[in-house]
Amino acid sequence: MEKLLKDALTKTKQAEVYWVEEETLPIKFNSNQITRINGKKIRGVCLRVIDKESRLGIATATDLDREDLINRALLSARYGDKTEIKFPNEKGSEVQCYDPKVANLTAEEMIEQGQSMLNTILEIDSTIKCDLVLSKNIQKVKILNSSGLDINYERTNFTISITSRGEDGFGEFSDFDIYSKHFVFDRSRLERFVYYHQLGKKKFKVKTGKMDIIFNPGAMWPLLYRVFAGVNGMAVNKGITPLKDRLGEEIFSPLINIVDDPTYPWGLGTTPYDDEGSVARRTSVVENGILKSYLFDLDSAARYGTISTGNGFKKTLFDKGIDQQPATYVSNFILLPGESTFDQMVKTIKKGIIVNQVMGGHTGNILAGEFGLNIGSGFLVENGEIKGKVMDAMVSGNIYDLFKRVTMVGQKLQATQAVFYGFGYTPAILVPELTVAGSEK
Amino acid sequence: MKGILRAGFTDEGYQDIRYEKLQIVGIEYQGQQLKDISISRKEGGHARGFYRGGWGHFSFNDLNQTKEAVQTAFNRAKVAGQYRKEIYQLAQAPVVEDKVRVTPKMDPRQISLEEKRELLNKYNQLVLNLKGIATTQVSYYEQASQKFFANNEGTYIDQEELICGLRMVIFARRGRDTQRTIVALGGSDDFSLLLDKEEEVLKAAEKALALLDAEPVNAGNYTVIMDPDAAGVFIHEAFGHLSEADGVADNDALRETMKLGRVFGKPILNVIDDGSLPGHPGSIVYDDDGVKAKKTYLIKNGILTGRLHSRETAGKMGEELSGNSRAKDFTFAPVVRMSNIYIDKGDTPFEEMIGSIKDGLYLVGAAGGQTSGNMFTLAVQYGYRIRDGKIAEMIRDIVVNCNLFETLANISAIGDDLKFSRSGGCGKAGQILIKSGKGAPHIKIDNITVGGK
């Protein structure tokens, strides 16, 4: 790698080498039985160059054929756009993102953990059929650049995801969490899981109209993703976000505090550096409802005339990997906890829905803040009591209205997953009078 | 290569290995900014073992690691197999030795990076010069792969795959309001499908601008007509995923729900998956089990007649192989995926369909969808009110959200104008597969739920 950087610099002005080795081990159970032990151990290298005419080029590979990489990066630069960026060289601080216990877990140990979860669930209700995934991931990253940066660090992730099957065989209830350290679902969490699964036997349809909605963490990502889309430096530069030129304005309810925090202890996206070697920093995005900051990578920051917030990641909603260009994305996108307990929220509802999981979070006019979410898993609440499962309903609106009207924010953080990957942490929130399209005539 | 891949095999259980060399070209403009222009090269393999109903997998990079990779995968299969209560066999597949090469009409690999960039730039400038257009996202993708597959039954396949395409998202803005439309071109091994599409691109830009004056749709139940693009994604989401047997095989309740012979729609409804159909995003010769792709009737005359299988699921269910076991690349395990799914053409002309509706919606262009259980959701790019048999004012912010069984049964007319989408793409099991095609004629659906204000 040092040699790659050196060779590249004989032909170009600035260069950066990003090297990653990744190991994963997912264990999958279907219908209470183990079906497969999956996994990979792969690596990748990415060379970015800025040539004498200040044009940025990029090349990736899975092996270290230095000449081929340099030639492709130079070719990419020859056609590339001019850039103002300078590769960074700043030392980051220690963060908690590597758990040796996760790194050393064996397939057998993970199977035992899954089996023990299933045993507990079956003790409570012997009729339940579950699909379960336990997964571990280890990343070793090394970044070198011509500004003198020379860093390497390791990160781990541990994920548990469980879904029960209803009488018709379709997914009934699911629970999910992800941290960089090892954890278990304790008995009370599994009891809650079974409780909601059993509620699914009582089914309700609702009429089209306004209802009070509790969004559980699992259903929060589409709302938070739209906030991120609004503060994404690229969208700000292009002028396609409603949040352009609104720093310092009150955009949401004072109850709303949102940070992007790569230093969050044991978070799913906790990291000392982003994928461009910028030091990862905590950024306060919304404070007491006031828009405080946008998020930037090196390129979007240079175009805006500021410095990177350390949000240049090789990750999008649908893809991550060595051949992703670094672009603005979240580390741990966190809605900070509020004062309310879940029970207090439920008690205030005359007629509403607890929305646990949604579909369609990645569709529709995201930049405008619009959402139309199919309630994949939701529960009807009447006069403060949870009645049963809501069928065939959809909740829609716009986050720029919704986050103004939030009346309660929960106390407890839980991971929320956007499409394929963890996105951040959030409590549940309560929003009165949202539009629900139901199928009850 | 054959010798290298076979080196690690033993006679125990089932073992296979897939080794891939990938070259990916990506070019992307965001507005005037060229965000990416690069060629990536990746190679590596994925080994699998199967023993007593347990599977083991292992992805790796180096060709000289194949032997260890096969052993690692098989050892994992043995560990998983120890814990299995239920044992099953894989479906028998023919042993083949074959070499597959693509023969594109215009080979994208022969076109310079500069020419590709110029083509993108031409379409991009065409749109950016229009008043009211805020920005664009124009991307070109090209993926060429050489895949070698071998198993311990004697099959060996050396297969080339190639796909290229162009996707353009056009953003129009007025004040704080941003609207967008999407254009997709190509989606096959033929670069010439990307040329001379100015008219199509301009039309999409005009629609994005028109959306600024469109009214949001009111939530409620409507009779709708979907255009072929929206209907293609509709059948992919509302039915296709459910016909993927890996969601059904281990699930007794769902097996009952999805019993062959069940009536799914009116007799006019025919749904087909066909990977052997050339020239579409999902066209393949062999799947990643080394099984030949073919035409599978999923619904015939309204009745469920087939489903999509891997050797694993066909073995579990005792059904026929269909050649639908597919992985995005060597870093992933194959899962059951659609190849090219489509609603077969019917006999109702479009004008007659519109004319039959007193009050309804005409939905145009897919903008994403999702399936979960018996519900699906589908966003469309834009739409129109239909009043007294005529297309009226434009509407926007349309998301359809329905129970798939009810919706399939409500398809009441099928057009005579079958058309395939030029964009592929489907997400499942953490893998976005660009090689997944869809098509449909115009279809009429009675009474579906549309979300809105």
Side-chain angles (χ1 to χ4, degrees), chain B residues 245-283:
Chain B
D246 56 352
V248 183
D250 287 322
N251 189 325
D252 294 343
L254 206 51
R255 276 189 181 207
E256 202 49 45
T257 306
M258 295 298 293
K259 225 185 181 120
L260 298 184
R262 177 177 173 160
V263 175
F264 258 83
K266 298 182 171 64
I268 51 170
L269 181 65
N270 292 287
V271 182
I272 296 161
D273 180 271
D274 189 354
S276 65
L277 205 64
H280 297 303
S283 305

Short mmCIF file of all heavy atoms in Angstrom, two decimals, chain B residues 245-283:
data_model
loop_
_atom_site.label_atom_id
_atom_site.label_comp_id
_atom_site.label_asym_id
_atom_site.label_seq_id
_atom_site.Cartn_x
_atom_site.Cartn_y
_atom_site.Cartn_z
N ALA B 245 -39.80 -19.24 -4.21
CA ALA B 245 -40.08 -20.36 -3.31
C ALA B 245 -39.26 -20.34 -2.02
O ALA B 245 -39.62 -21.01 -1.06
CB ALA B 245 -39.87 -21.68 -4.04
N ASP B 246 -38.17 -19.56 -1.97
CA ASP B 246 -37.40 -19.57 -0.71
C ASP B 246 -38.16 -18.92 0.44
O ASP B 246 -37.82 -19.14 1.60
CB ASP B 246 -36.00 -18.97 -0.89
CG ASP B 246 -36.03 -17.55 -1.45
OD1 ASP B 246 -37.11 -17.09 -1.85
OD2 ASP B 246 -34.96 -16.91 -1.49
N GLY B 247 -39.19 -18.15 0.12
CA GLY B 247 -40.04 -17.61 1.17
C GLY B 247 -41.15 -18.57 1.58
O GLY B 247 -41.82 -18.37 2.58
N VAL B 248 -41.34 -19.59 0.77
CA VAL B 248 -42.47 -20.50 0.96
C VAL B 248 -42.05 -21.87 1.50
O VAL B 248 -42.73 -22.45 2.36
CB VAL B 248 -43.22 -20.70 -0.39
CG1 VAL B 248 -44.45 -21.58 -0.23
CG2 VAL B 248 -43.60 -19.36 -1.00
N ALA B 249 -40.91 -22.35 1.01
CA ALA B 249 -40.52 -23.76 1.25
C ALA B 249 -40.49 -24.17 2.72
O ALA B 249 -40.91 -25.27 3.07
CB ALA B 249 -39.18 -24.03 0.59
N ASP B 250 -39.99 -23.28 3.60
CA ASP B 250 -39.85 -23.64 5.02
C ASP B 250 -41.06 -23.24 5.84
O ASP B 250 -40.99 -23.21 7.06
CB ASP B 250 -38.63 -22.91 5.61
CG ASP B 250 -37.33 -23.52 5.12
OD1 ASP B 250 -37.27 -24.75 5.00
OD2 ASP B 250 -36.39 -22.76 4.84
N ASN B 251 -42.14 -22.87 5.18
CA ASN B 251 -43.21 -22.20 5.86
C ASN B 251 -44.53 -22.91 5.56
O ASN B 251 -45.17 -22.65 4.53
CB ASN B 251 -43.21 -20.75 5.32
CG ASN B 251 -44.13 -19.84 6.07
OD1 ASN B 251 -45.19 -20.24 6.54
ND2 ASN B 251 -43.74 -18.59 6.16
N ASP B 252 -44.93 -23.82 6.43
CA ASP B 252 -46.11 -24.67 6.17
C ASP B 252 -47.36 -23.86 5.88
O ASP B 252 -48.12 -24.18 4.97
CB ASP B 252 -46.36 -25.60 7.36
CG ASP B 252 -45.23 -26.61 7.51
OD1 ASP B 252 -44.47 -26.77 6.53
OD2 ASP B 252 -45.09 -27.21 8.59
N ALA B 253 -47.55 -22.78 6.67
CA ALA B 253 -48.76 -21.98 6.49
C ALA B 253 -48.77 -21.32 5.10
O ALA B 253 -49.80 -21.29 4.42
CB ALA B 253 -48.84 -20.91 7.57
N LEU B 254 -47.61 -20.84 4.68
CA LEU B 254 -47.53 -20.16 3.39
C LEU B 254 -47.65 -21.15 2.23
O LEU B 254 -48.19 -20.84 1.18
CB LEU B 254 -46.21 -19.37 3.30
CG LEU B 254 -46.20 -18.17 2.37
CD1 LEU B 254 -47.37 -17.24 2.65
CD2 LEU B 254 -44.90 -17.39 2.52
N ARG B 255 -47.15 -22.36 2.45
CA ARG B 255 -47.31 -23.40 1.43
C ARG B 255 -48.81 -23.62 1.15
O ARG B 255 -49.21 -23.82 0.01
CB ARG B 255 -46.72 -24.72 1.92
CG ARG B 255 -45.24 -24.85 1.69
CD ARG B 255 -44.84 -26.28 2.01
NE ARG B 255 -43.41 -26.49 1.84
CZ ARG B 255 -42.88 -27.67 1.54
NH1 ARG B 255 -43.65 -28.72 1.37
NH2 ARG B 255 -41.58 -27.80 1.41
N GLU B 256 -49.58 -23.58 2.22
CA GLU B 256 -51.02 -23.75 2.10
C GLU B 256 -51.62 -22.57 1.33
O GLU B 256 -52.41 -22.75 0.40
CB GLU B 256 -51.62 -23.85 3.51
CG GLU B 256 -52.98 -24.53 3.59
CD GLU B 256 -53.04 -25.87 2.86
OE1 GLU B 256 -52.10 -26.70 3.00
OE2 GLU B 256 -54.03 -26.07 2.14
N THR B 257 -51.22 -21.36 1.75
CA THR B 257 -51.69 -20.13 1.10
C THR B 257 -51.35 -20.12 -0.39
O THR B 257 -52.12 -19.65 -1.22
CB THR B 257 -51.02 -18.90 1.77
OG1 THR B 257 -51.26 -18.97 3.17
CG2 THR B 257 -51.58 -17.59 1.25
N MET B 258 -50.17 -20.64 -0.73
CA MET B 258 -49.65 -20.57 -2.09
C MET B 258 -49.75 -21.91 -2.82
O MET B 258 -48.89 -22.26 -3.62
CB MET B 258 -48.19 -20.11 -2.07
CG MET B 258 -47.98 -18.70 -1.56
SD MET B 258 -48.81 -17.46 -2.58
CE MET B 258 -47.85 -17.59 -4.10
N LYS B 259 -50.79 -22.67 -2.51
CA LYS B 259 -50.97 -23.98 -3.14
C LYS B 259 -51.22 -23.82 -4.64
O LYS B 259 -52.04 -23.00 -5.05
CB LYS B 259 -52.18 -24.67 -2.50
CG LYS B 259 -51.91 -26.12 -2.16
CD LYS B 259 -53.14 -26.81 -1.65
CE LYS B 259 -52.74 -28.24 -1.33
NZ LYS B 259 -52.94 -28.58 0.05
N LEU B 260 -50.52 -24.62 -5.44
CA LEU B 260 -50.76 -24.59 -6.88
C LEU B 260 -52.22 -24.95 -7.14
O LEU B 260 -52.77 -25.84 -6.49
CB LEU B 260 -49.83 -25.55 -7.61
CG LEU B 260 -48.32 -25.25 -7.48
CD1 LEU B 260 -47.50 -26.21 -8.33
CD2 LEU B 260 -47.99 -23.80 -7.88
N GLY B 261 -52.84 -24.23 -8.07
CA GLY B 261 -54.26 -24.47 -8.35
C GLY B 261 -55.16 -23.42 -7.73
O GLY B 261 -56.32 -23.30 -8.09
N ARG B 262 -54.61 -22.64 -6.79
CA ARG B 262 -55.40 -21.58 -6.18
C ARG B 262 -55.75 -20.52 -7.23
O ARG B 262 -54.92 -20.16 -8.07
CB ARG B 262 -54.60 -20.94 -5.05
CG ARG B 262 -55.32 -19.76 -4.40
CD ARG B 262 -54.57 -19.16 -3.24
NE ARG B 262 -55.28 -17.95 -2.82
CZ ARG B 262 -55.15 -17.39 -1.63
NH1 ARG B 262 -54.35 -17.92 -0.74
NH2 ARG B 262 -55.81 -16.29 -1.33
N VAL B 263 -56.97 -20.02 -7.17
CA VAL B 263 -57.38 -18.97 -8.10
C VAL B 263 -56.85 -17.62 -7.60
O VAL B 263 -57.11 -17.22 -6.47
CB VAL B 263 -58.92 -18.91 -8.24
CG1 VAL B 263 -59.33 -17.73 -9.12
CG2 VAL B 263 -59.43 -20.21 -8.82
N PHE B 264 -56.07 -16.96 -8.44
CA PHE B 264 -55.44 -15.69 -8.06
C PHE B 264 -56.07 -14.50 -8.76
O PHE B 264 -55.93 -13.37 -8.32
CB PHE B 264 -53.95 -15.73 -8.40
CG PHE B 264 -53.09 -15.96 -7.21
CD1 PHE B 264 -52.87 -17.24 -6.73
CD2 PHE B 264 -52.51 -14.90 -6.54
CE1 PHE B 264 -52.08 -17.45 -5.60
CE2 PHE B 264 -51.73 -15.10 -5.41
CZ PHE B 264 -51.51 -16.39 -4.95
N GLY B 265 -56.69 -14.75 -9.89
CA GLY B 265 -57.24 -13.62 -10.64
C GLY B 265 -58.29 -14.11 -11.62
O GLY B 265 -58.63 -15.29 -11.67
N LYS B 266 -58.79 -13.16 -12.42
CA LYS B 266 -59.77 -13.51 -13.44
C LYS B 266 -59.06 -14.29 -14.55
O LYS B 266 -57.85 -14.22 -14.70
CB LYS B 266 -60.41 -12.22 -13.97
CG LYS B 266 -61.17 -11.46 -12.88
CD LYS B 266 -61.86 -10.21 -13.40
CE LYS B 266 -62.78 -9.62 -12.34
NZ LYS B 266 -62.07 -9.12 -11.13
N PRO B 267 -59.84 -15.04 -15.36
CA PRO B 267 -59.22 -15.87 -16.40
C PRO B 267 -58.36 -15.09 -17.40
O PRO B 267 -57.54 -15.69 -18.09
CB PRO B 267 -60.43 -16.49 -17.11
CG PRO B 267 -61.52 -16.49 -16.09
CD PRO B 267 -61.30 -15.26 -15.26
N ILE B 268 -58.51 -13.77 -17.46
CA ILE B 268 -57.69 -12.98 -18.40
C ILE B 268 -56.23 -12.86 -17.95
O ILE B 268 -55.38 -12.45 -18.72
CB ILE B 268 -58.23 -11.54 -18.58
CG1 ILE B 268 -58.46 -10.88 -17.22
CG2 ILE B 268 -59.48 -11.52 -19.44
CD1 ILE B 268 -58.77 -9.39 -17.29
N LEU B 269 -55.95 -13.22 -16.67
CA LEU B 269 -54.62 -12.94 -16.12
C LEU B 269 -53.63 -14.07 -16.34
O LEU B 269 -53.86 -15.21 -15.93
CB LEU B 269 -54.75 -12.64 -14.61
CG LEU B 269 -53.44 -12.30 -13.88
CD1 LEU B 269 -52.85 -10.99 -14.39
CD2 LEU B 269 -53.66 -12.22 -12.37
N ASN B 270 -52.52 -13.75 -17.03
CA ASN B 270 -51.42 -14.69 -17.21
C ASN B 270 -50.12 -14.00 -16.80
O ASN B 270 -49.82 -12.92 -17.30
CB ASN B 270 -51.31 -15.11 -18.68
CG ASN B 270 -52.51 -15.96 -19.08
OD1 ASN B 270 -52.60 -17.11 -18.68
ND2 ASN B 270 -53.42 -15.37 -19.84
N VAL B 271 -49.38 -14.64 -15.89
CA VAL B 271 -48.11 -14.07 -15.44
C VAL B 271 -46.99 -15.07 -15.69
O VAL B 271 -47.13 -16.25 -15.38
CB VAL B 271 -48.16 -13.70 -13.94
CG1 VAL B 271 -46.85 -13.05 -13.52
CG2 VAL B 271 -49.32 -12.76 -13.65
N ILE B 272 -45.90 -14.56 -16.29
CA ILE B 272 -44.82 -15.43 -16.72
C ILE B 272 -43.49 -14.89 -16.22
O ILE B 272 -43.30 -13.67 -16.16
CB ILE B 272 -44.80 -15.48 -18.29
CG1 ILE B 272 -46.09 -16.12 -18.79
CG2 ILE B 272 -43.57 -16.25 -18.81
CD1 ILE B 272 -46.40 -15.84 -20.25
N ASP B 273 -42.58 -15.79 -15.86
CA ASP B 273 -41.19 -15.39 -15.61
C ASP B 273 -40.35 -16.11 -16.64
O ASP B 273 -40.47 -17.33 -16.80
CB ASP B 273 -40.76 -15.77 -14.20
CG ASP B 273 -39.31 -15.36 -13.93
OD1 ASP B 273 -38.40 -16.16 -14.21
OD2 ASP B 273 -39.11 -14.23 -13.44
N ASP B 274 -39.50 -15.37 -17.35
CA ASP B 274 -38.73 -16.00 -18.42
C ASP B 274 -37.32 -15.42 -18.53
O ASP B 274 -37.12 -14.36 -19.10
CB ASP B 274 -39.48 -15.85 -19.75
CG ASP B 274 -38.84 -16.68 -20.86
OD1 ASP B 274 -37.77 -17.27 -20.62
OD2 ASP B 274 -39.42 -16.74 -21.96
N GLY B 275 -36.36 -16.15 -17.96
CA GLY B 275 -34.97 -15.73 -18.04
C GLY B 275 -34.35 -16.01 -19.39
O GLY B 275 -33.32 -15.44 -19.75
N SER B 276 -34.99 -16.90 -20.16
CA SER B 276 -34.41 -17.28 -21.46
C SER B 276 -34.80 -16.30 -22.57
O SER B 276 -34.31 -16.38 -23.68
CB SER B 276 -34.85 -18.69 -21.85
OG SER B 276 -36.25 -18.73 -22.06
N LEU B 277 -35.70 -15.37 -22.26
CA LEU B 277 -36.10 -14.33 -23.20
C LEU B 277 -34.92 -13.38 -23.40
O LEU B 277 -34.44 -12.78 -22.44
CB LEU B 277 -37.26 -13.56 -22.55
CG LEU B 277 -38.26 -12.81 -23.39
CD1 LEU B 277 -39.05 -13.77 -24.28
CD2 LEU B 277 -39.23 -12.08 -22.46
N PRO B 278 -34.41 -13.23 -24.63
CA PRO B 278 -33.19 -12.43 -24.78
C PRO B 278 -33.45 -10.92 -24.73
O PRO B 278 -34.56 -10.47 -25.01
CB PRO B 278 -32.68 -12.85 -26.16
CG PRO B 278 -33.90 -13.27 -26.90
CD PRO B 278 -34.88 -13.81 -25.89
N GLY B 279 -32.41 -10.18 -24.35
CA GLY B 279 -32.44 -8.72 -24.51
C GLY B 279 -33.09 -7.92 -23.41
O GLY B 279 -33.37 -6.75 -23.59
N HIS B 280 -33.35 -8.54 -22.26
CA HIS B 280 -33.92 -7.80 -21.14
C HIS B 280 -32.97 -7.83 -19.95
O HIS B 280 -32.05 -8.65 -19.92
CB HIS B 280 -35.28 -8.38 -20.76
CG HIS B 280 -36.29 -8.25 -21.86
ND1 HIS B 280 -36.63 -7.03 -22.41
CD2 HIS B 280 -37.01 -9.17 -22.52
CE1 HIS B 280 -37.53 -7.21 -23.36
NE2 HIS B 280 -37.77 -8.51 -23.45
N PRO B 281 -33.21 -6.95 -18.95
CA PRO B 281 -32.27 -6.91 -17.81
C PRO B 281 -32.06 -8.27 -17.14
O PRO B 281 -30.97 -8.57 -16.71
CB PRO B 281 -32.92 -5.91 -16.85
CG PRO B 281 -33.70 -4.99 -17.73
CD PRO B 281 -34.20 -5.86 -18.85
N GLY B 282 -33.11 -9.08 -17.06
CA GLY B 282 -33.01 -10.34 -16.32
C GLY B 282 -32.68 -11.55 -17.17
O GLY B 282 -32.88 -12.68 -16.74
N SER B 283 -32.20 -11.33 -18.39
CA SER B 283 -31.93 -12.46 -19.28
C SER B 283 -30.63 -13.16 -18.91
O SER B 283 -29.58 -12.53 -18.83
CB SER B 283 -31.85 -11.95 -20.73
OG SER B 283 -33.03 -11.25 -21.05
#
